[in-house]
Amino acid sequence: MALLVNSYAIKNWVYRHSTSASHRFLAWITVVSLAMCVCGDVVNFNLPLTYYRYGGVIKHDYLADSVMFFGPGYFLFLVVACCIALTNGFKPKMLFITFVIGALIGAGSFISMHLTGTGTHVTIVTGIYAILITLVGVSGLVLLVALRKSTAIFGVCLVASGLVLATVADGVIGQFWIYGNNGEGFFPTAKYVNWSLYIGSQCLLIHLARVAVMHDENVGISPCAS
């Protein structure tokens, strides 16, 4: 909740420092993205303490339900990162090729950890999400390449690191919390590792729109859709 308040404060900072409609829109998307992830956090708490809801293989299958919030949340973070990168000269064709490679890596990662007998619901949800969250990490590299000459490069590196950390954090969930230990999960160790990485990534991701404003102010580039 503290991060959500901070994200809203950053949105207000963007409004004070930029009159660009695109900057303000990206700031709002970032707030909504974080809010969606907070809802996913609530699901991951598993307050009812229910397990094996979608079969007898995956114990912590409630994590698949949280994807209904994390999926849209991280998709919006992905949209913000791509908009900033494309605005600053990253070629659409190169973005497409990069994402195809990223999607293949995500699919390969999912196949490597998937367990035979996993329910259809958990399989489909976690499979799609494995690809999406890999693309989020790839977008961090795309953003870094697009803004590599920015005078705000330190901030760019931090935000790009946040996107990569998001992928690593959810990789821990997939490999060690959902499918680890033959479906039992290495719990609660995997949970503690994931939360450390996840919170760290969110602390950085909420600055996406702020970095866009700082970069455009310094180099005088007209933002997209302004």
Side-chain angles (χ1 to χ4, degrees):
M1 294 307 297
L3 283 177
L4 191 57
V5 171
N6 194 24
S7 179
Y8 190 82
I10 292 172
K11 184 272 300 179
N12 291 339
W13 182 94
V14 170
Y15 268 66
R16 291 194 302 271
H17 289 79
S18 175
T19 58
S20 165
S22 63
H23 283 156
R24 295 182 173 188
F25 182 61
L26 293 180
W28 269 114
I29 290 182
T30 302
V31 173
V32 173
S33 301
L34 184 64
M36 294 296 294
C37 290
V38 169
C39 292
D41 294 333
V42 175
V43 176
N44 278 355
F45 289 154
N46 190 26
L47 298 177
L49 297 178
T50 55
Y51 305 92
Y52 297 111
R53 283 183 284 185
Y54 300 107
V57 176
I58 304 301
K59 179 178 181 179
H60 301 276
D61 52 8
Y62 54 86
L63 294 168
D65 293 336
S66 69
V67 171
M68 301 305 173
F69 294 105
F70 281 117
Y74 276 118
F75 176 76
L76 292 177
F77 276 128
L78 179 64
V79 168
V80 174
C82 289
C83 182
I84 296 173
L86 291 172
T87 298
N88 288 279
F90 202 88
K91 303 299 182 182
K93 181 179 179 180
M94 184 57 65
L95 182 66
F96 176 77
I97 294 174
T98 302
F99 275 8
V100 167
I101 296 173
L104 292 175
I105 294 174
S109 175
F110 171 72
I111 292 172
S112 71
M113 65 183 172
H114 184 261
L115 297 174
T116 302
T118 301
T120 302
H121 172 74
V122 175
T123 297
I124 293 176
V125 170
T126 56
I128 294 175
Y129 188 69
I131 295 174
L132 172 62
I133 199 62
T134 301
L135 296 183
V136 171
V138 170
S139 72
L141 303 179
V142 168
L143 187 67
L144 187 58
V145 171
L147 301 182
R148 64 188 180 281
K149 297 181 180 179
S150 174
T151 55
I153 188 60
F154 181 70
V156 172
C157 288
L158 289 177
V159 170
S161 297
L163 290 164
V164 175
L165 274 178
T167 299
V168 175
D170 279 351
V172 170
I173 287 185
Q175 294 284 353
F176 302 105
W177 192 350
I178 298 179
Y179 291 106
N181 194 23
N182 294 317
E184 288 286 322
F186 295 99
F187 189 84
T189 303
K191 175 182 178 180
Y192 298 147
V193 174
N194 164 257
W195 275 91
S196 298
L197 296 170
Y198 166 73
I199 296 300
S201 72
Q202 295 288 17
C203 287
L204 300 172
L205 288 181
I206 58 178
H207 292 275
L208 268 166
R210 183 168 178 264
V211 166
V213 173
M214 292 170 63
H215 173 72
D216 288 349
E217 283 182 341
N218 289 331
V219 300
I221 297 178
S222 299
C224 66
S226 60

